[in-house]
Amino acid sequence: MRVAVQSAPFDLGAEAARFAAAAPGAGAVVTFTGLVRDNGGALAAMEIEHYPGMTETAISAMLDEAARRWALVDALVIHRFGRLAAGEAIMMVATAAAHRAAAFDAAEFLMDYLKSRAPFWKKEIGASGAEWVTARDEDEAALKRW
């Protein structure tokens, strides 16, 4: 299980290949990469803040929970911070399990957690100024199903 919270971009293909190669016994590997949406061209950038140490600890606890609930062979979360332009990769989740249903469910669980509960603070910056991103009801509802 690995958590990386970093400012540097990551290579999705290289990360996915390395993850799959290191998951012996897995029958399924699921990856998801989130991108910074441009909101119809209105977003210039997103700034993401976090507390080092606290963020990694919180995400690691969710990885442990996912591994326990879905008997994962391995899991990975990469999440960026700092200033990101529209279209840049913001995060990646990868899960490996004996069967696809477990890998998909665990990946969805982790994505829902990252969206709603991971200790990141996001500010959208556009032509009309900057605004902090607040929790959305649909994100909270998605997390409650787990």
Side-chain angles (χ1 to χ4, degrees), residues 105-130:
D105 286 349
E108 254 192 299
F109 167 78
L110 289 168
M111 291 179 294
D112 287 342
Y113 167 77
L114 288 167
K115 185 77 173 171
S116 300
R117 292 286 193 276
F120 290 101
W121 294 270
K122 301 173 184 176
K123 186 187 319 180
E124 293 181 340
I125 302 163
S128 60

Side-chain angles (χ1 to χ4, degrees), residues 45-102:
M46 177 178 279
E47 287 184 2
I48 302 170
E49 298 178 8
H50 76 107
Y51 286 116
M54 181 180 99
T55 303
E56 293 85 349
T57 299
I59 296 171
S60 290
M62 283 298 98
L63 280 178
D64 291 344
E65 174 71 10
R68 183 187 63 74
R69 289 175 70 175
W70 288 281
L72 296 180
V73 173
D74 201 0
L76 165 69
V77 170
I78 300 171
H79 203 296
R80 294 182 60 203
F81 66 91
R83 188 177 181 104
L84 286 79
E88 285 191 70
I90 187 172
M91 56 78 71
M92 175 184 175
V93 168
T95 56
H99 302 284
R100 66 184 167 154

